Each structure stands twice: as structure tokens, then as C-alpha cells.
Amino acid sequence: MLAIATKMWYNSVTSNGIAGGESAFWKGSNAMANRMILNETSYFGAGVITEIVNEANKRGFKKILVVTDPDLLEFGVTVKVTALLDAAGIDYEVFSNVKANPTVFCVKAGLEAFRDSEADSIIAVGGGSAMDTAKAIGIISSNPEFSDVVSLEGVADTKNPSVPIIAVPTTAGTAAEVTINYVITDEKNKRKFVCVDPHDIPVVAVVDSDMMTTMPKGLTASTGMDALTHAIEGYTTLAAWELTDTLHLKAIEIIGRSLRAAVANDPKGREDMALGQYVAGMGFSNVGLGVVHGMAHPLGAFYDTPHGIANAVLLPYVMEYNAEFTGDKFRHIAEAMGVDTSGMDEAAYRKAAVDAVRQLSKDVGIPEKLHEIGVKEEDLPALAESAFADVCTGGNPRPCTVESILEIYKKAF
Ligand SMILES: NC(=O)c1ccc[n+]([C@@H]2O[C@H](COP(=O)([O-])OP(=O)(O)OC[C@H]3O[C@@H](n4cnc5c(N)ncnc54)[C@H](O)[C@@H]3O)[C@@H](O)[C@H]2O)c1
Ligand SMILES: [Fe+2]
């Protein structure tokens, strides 16, 4: 009988100090199974938050903790969901102390709120930060042996599924509503760590573009570029396979054609971006990412750089570094971005893919260099060490060393 091993995205550093290598992605025995984990149910389109009440009732939720952040309360975004709960007479409490790039401290505070509220379920309303905090709260509530939070890093051996989460994204970027990952900042050690755990996936995702219309231009642009980074890194990551390739290429196409319109707050652009980022999440959650994310995470930990901006600045530089290790995939990326590649040789279509990404980034107002977003030159060696150790780096198509990562940081500086 064929032994089945589960394909995991998990970094390993080999004895010669190189991050990556296909063998690092297998967990268990010696054969491979491509695996897909998705939400039980998901809803798409402007106005679909009304489905939350049906889902909460159908699932027998008695009391809900709504996990969100203070800005979303202030901008009247969270209230769109709580008003539905009020009208339906569903009992809930709100925890709104989520900060961007959520910390261990923030998760512990949320955990306490969850216990005090005696809720049996969570609705996360927010961007990646609120959804990731909700996942950590949900996982630790069901697996209290991980109450220190930091021991959840990587692939944690949790035994029980998270308390049920309905995830309602308010940014079009992270796709945390459909991923099996969450990212927490260890403020004491100045590092962001990624947790990969199928037990954390929200049971329901409610992807409603009306929840995203209050995003300012800069946030729409940076979170959208995060989604494009997911699609491109997911398409070229070592564990990619045909099904996820299909999802990632479609995501690149949708994001490539709709991000500019979303930044202009066009409703169709918003709706398309909401879908595009989710499609990217369906893919990358199941195969992993690459060194753009590996290098973006330390920027979040060192300078609290918004995640999307860090990725957006780094993406073209990493694409140049990876180009020779991607076969003809950059031709398909260029085409999905709307470039006619007929007659182009390998060098030409690779350059065309990078140029198309640079142009989109420029059009939506993303800076080109790391020094423009507050990165300090003297920190680059420490950032490179941290990026090398990141869970995402092992999935990069071209092997990385601390030195090669430092070179990319320098080019992008
Ligand atoms: N779980 C995953 O798979 C995954 C994937 C990628 C990134 N992440 C993580 O997600 C976090 C980033 O999430 P994000 O980029 O969605 O941003 P975020 O959740 O950190 O939010 C950033 C800011 O935008 C505001 N905001 C959000 N929605 C808004 C709206 N509709 N209108 C007005 N303001 C709004 C928030 O209040 C906050 O101040 C990072 O910590 C990153 O590492 C997680
Ligand atoms: Fe991301």
C-alpha cells in the first residue's frame, strides 16, 4: 500500500546553511500527497454579510466573541456586523484590542476576553491582524497547552480544532479567512513568526466587498500588492502543483486587472479584488510562499512596517533573483498581467513579468526602495539572518543563504 505523507510548507535549513530543498516539505513517511484544505463554507459578493446570522444560528452558536481592531470600530466597519447580531438577538461581546502586526501580548489579552465572555465561537472582523489574532485565540482555547503562544510557531502539534470562527475580511490582501496560517509578533525577541495549522481554518469565510470600501487608497494598494505577492510566490514556490497553479494564475489575472480600479474605490474593482485575494489564498495556504514573505516578516517585527508595503517593495527584486529558477512560469505571469509575450524569448518574458509588477506597484503608489519606508542600512545583516530563519523562505524556488538574502536587501535598499 502506498504510504501517504502530507505535504507541508515548512522551512528547513540544511547542514550547508541553505534554506529550502524539496525534501524539507515532506512530513511523515516517504510518499507524497498533494493536500487541499479550504473553508467549509464561503460567501462572496457585495452585501453577503447577511449570511452571518444564518450561519451562526445553523451552527448553534450561543454566544460570540467579535474580534476586531479599534480603527474598524471608529470607521463604522465592525458595526455593520454587530448590527446584524443585534437585530437577530444573538448574544455577543466585542474584543477590539487587536493591533496591526498582532503581538503575543495582544493574543493573551484576547484569550482572557474569550474566557471571561464564556463565548463558544468567534467572529473575526478585520484584516489579517484581527483574523490572525482570532485564530490564535481559537487554537489556544481548544489547546491550552500552547498558552505561551510562541510554542505554536511552525507546525504545532495541536490535537483539537479551533473554536469555530466566522471570518469577515475588511482588507483585500491576506486571505487569512481561508488560510491555515497565522502570523504573530514576538515583541520580546523582535520577530514575527508564522504558525501553520490546519486546525485554525475558519469554518466560514464571508468575503463581502462592502466591508472594504472604507479602506484608504494606500491601504487598498498595499494589501492588494500583498495578495499579488501571494499569487506570484504561491505559483513559483517549490511545492506548487497543477491545481494550485491554476488558482494562482487566475488570482494574478484578477488582481492585475482590478487593483487599480479598487484603489480608485470602484465597486466592481473592489468586488474583483475581494475574490482575487481569496483565490490566491486557496492556493498559497496549501503550498507555501517564498523569500519575499521571509524578508517582509522581519520588517514588520523591526519597524512595524505594514505587511503589504514590505512585500510590495521587495517583490520585483526577489522576482529578479528567482527568474532563472522558474522555467517558463514568468511567461504565464506576464500574460496573466496582460502582456502579449508572443515572439519573446526567455530573457524577454522574464523581464516583462517583473516590469509588469513594477508598473502596477508604481501606478498604485508603492515606494520603490526600502530606505523610503524607514528601513535602516545598519540593520540589513540582522534582517537577513531573521529572513533566512523564516518559515516561508524554505519554499523559495531558488535556494537562499544569509548572504544572498543580504544582497537582495541591499539592492532593494
Ligand atoms: N494568516 C495569513 O495567511 C496571513 C497572510 C498574509 C499576511 N498575514 C498577516 O496579516 C497582517 C496584515 O493584515 P492586513 O494587511 O489585512 O492589515 P491589518 O489587519 O494589519 O490592518 C491594517 C490597518 O488597516 C485598517 N483597516 C482594515 N480594514 C479597513 C477598512 N475596511 N477600512 C479602514 N481601515 C481598515 C485596520 O484598522 C488597521 O489599522 C500581518 O500581520 C501579516 O503578517 C497573515
Ligand atoms: Fe502576505
Side-chain angles (χ1 to χ4, degrees):
M1 204 182 95
L2 184 70
I4 307 272
T6 305
K7 205 168 187 177
M8 298 299 296
W9 60 290
Y10 193 40
N11 185 24
S12 103
V13 177
T14 57
S15 53
N16 59 359
I18 296 174
E22 187 107 33
S23 60
F25 291 85
W26 314 120
K27 190 189 171 212
S29 49
N30 62 2
M32 141 187 188
N34 287 313
R35 182 186 73 179
M36 291 297 287
I37 297 176
L38 301 168
N39 305 112
E40 277 175 25
T41 310
S42 28
Y43 297 94
F44 306 91
V48 293
I49 51 166
T50 48
E51 297 295 335
I52 291 172
V53 169
N54 288 339
E55 286 290 343
N57 285 335
K58 206 170 64 189
R59 289 168 191 276
F61 294 176
K62 296 279 178 290
K63 182 161 184 191
I64 298 168
L65 184 71
V66 175
V67 175
T68 190
D69 73 44
D71 291 346
L72 293 168
L73 280 186
E74 191 185 322
F75 296 141
V77 181
T78 310
V79 72
K80 294 181 183 176
V81 172
T82 53
L84 292 171
L85 302 179
D86 286 331
I90 296 175
D91 196 10
Y92 70 90
E93 271 180 41
V94 176
F95 171 74
S96 65
N97 278 341
V98 170
K99 73 169 281 302
N101 294 320
T103 56
V104 169
F105 177 82
C106 170
V107 170
K108 287 184 175 170
L111 206 54
E112 210 175 302
F114 184 77
R115 286 182 187 138
D116 290 350
S117 70
E118 297 183 357
D120 56 10
S121 49
I122 296 175
I123 298 182
V125 181
S129 296
M131 291 189 282
D132 285 0
T133 304
K135 286 175 173 181
I137 296 169
I139 281 288
I140 298 171
S141 296
S142 306
N143 302 274
E145 64 275 27
F146 291 98
S147 293
D148 66 340
V149 189
V150 288
S151 58
L152 288 163
E153 178 169 6
V155 183
D157 188 23
T158 59
K159 300 287 183 285
N160 306 306
S162 163
V163 297
I165 299 174
I166 297 180
V168 188
T170 63
T171 59
T174 69
E177 70 276 13
V178 63
T179 70
I180 58 168
N181 326 308
Y182 51 103
V183 190
I184 304 298
T185 300
D186 175 0
E187 62 274 52
K188 276 199 194 119
N189 295 305
K190 248 173 115 181
R191 53 189 298 271
K192 265 183 111 160
F193 61 92
V194 180
C195 310
V196 185
D197 183 355
H199 279 150
D200 70 37
I201 191 159
V203 287
V204 180
V206 181
V207 186
D208 182 340
S209 53
D210 279 353
M211 297 296 286
M212 300 162 185
T213 52
T214 47
M215 271 198 285
K217 278 191 194 320
L219 184 64
T220 307
S222 61
T223 51
M225 288 302 294
D226 181 27
L228 182 68
T229 309
H230 295 154
I232 291 177
E233 291 213 281
Y235 181 50
T236 53
T237 197
L238 287 176
W241 60 292
E242 231 170 338
L243 176 53
T244 56
D245 285 354
T246 310
L247 295 166
H248 288 128
L249 276 180
K250 190 68 192 172
I252 295 167
E253 181 200 312
I254 299 173
I255 295 163
R257 71 156 197 258
S258 62
L259 181 57
R260 291 174 184 87
V263 170
N265 210 15
D266 166 67
K268 173 83 168 87
R270 287 271 187 218
E271 202 163 331
D272 286 355
M273 272 307 298
L275 178 64
Q277 61 88 34
Y278 183 94
V279 176
M282 291 168 79
F284 89 83
S285 171
N286 290 290
V287 287
L289 293 166
V291 76
V292 181
H293 271 77
M295 293 172 69
H297 290 147
L299 302 189
F302 274 56
Y303 315 109
D304 223 2
T305 311
H307 176 71
I309 293 182
N311 279 320
V313 175
L314 291 164
L315 177 62
Y317 298 99
V318 172
M319 285 179 78
E320 283 168 347
Y321 174 78
N322 283 341
E324 280 173 39
F325 286 71
T326 53
D328 64 354
K329 284 196 162 179
F330 276 31
R331 181 191 286 283
H332 303 301
I333 292 174
E335 282 169 1
M337 298 283 294
V339 179
D340 178 5
T341 64
S342 45
M344 285 188 186
D345 64 9
E346 193 178 70
Y349 67 65
R350 285 178 176 166
K351 181 173 180 308
V354 180
D355 287 349
V357 168
R358 276 217 165 92
Q359 190 60 52
L360 176 57
S361 205
K362 198 172 168 194
D363 290 351
V364 297
I366 301 285
E368 272 176 51
K369 295 282 179 185
L370 292 176
H371 70 80
E372 297 173 68
I373 59 169
V375 174
K376 297 196 183 76
E377 196 165 15
E378 62 268 28
D379 291 339
L380 297 184
L383 290 167
E385 293 278 354
S386 184
F388 178 70
D390 190 272
V391 164
C392 296
T393 299
N396 200 63
R398 179 172 175 180
C400 295
T401 59
V402 176
E403 293 71 32
S404 65
I405 293 172
L406 182 58
E407 276 313 301
I408 305 171
Y409 272 134
K410 283 183 178 167
K411 271 197 186 135
F413 186 77

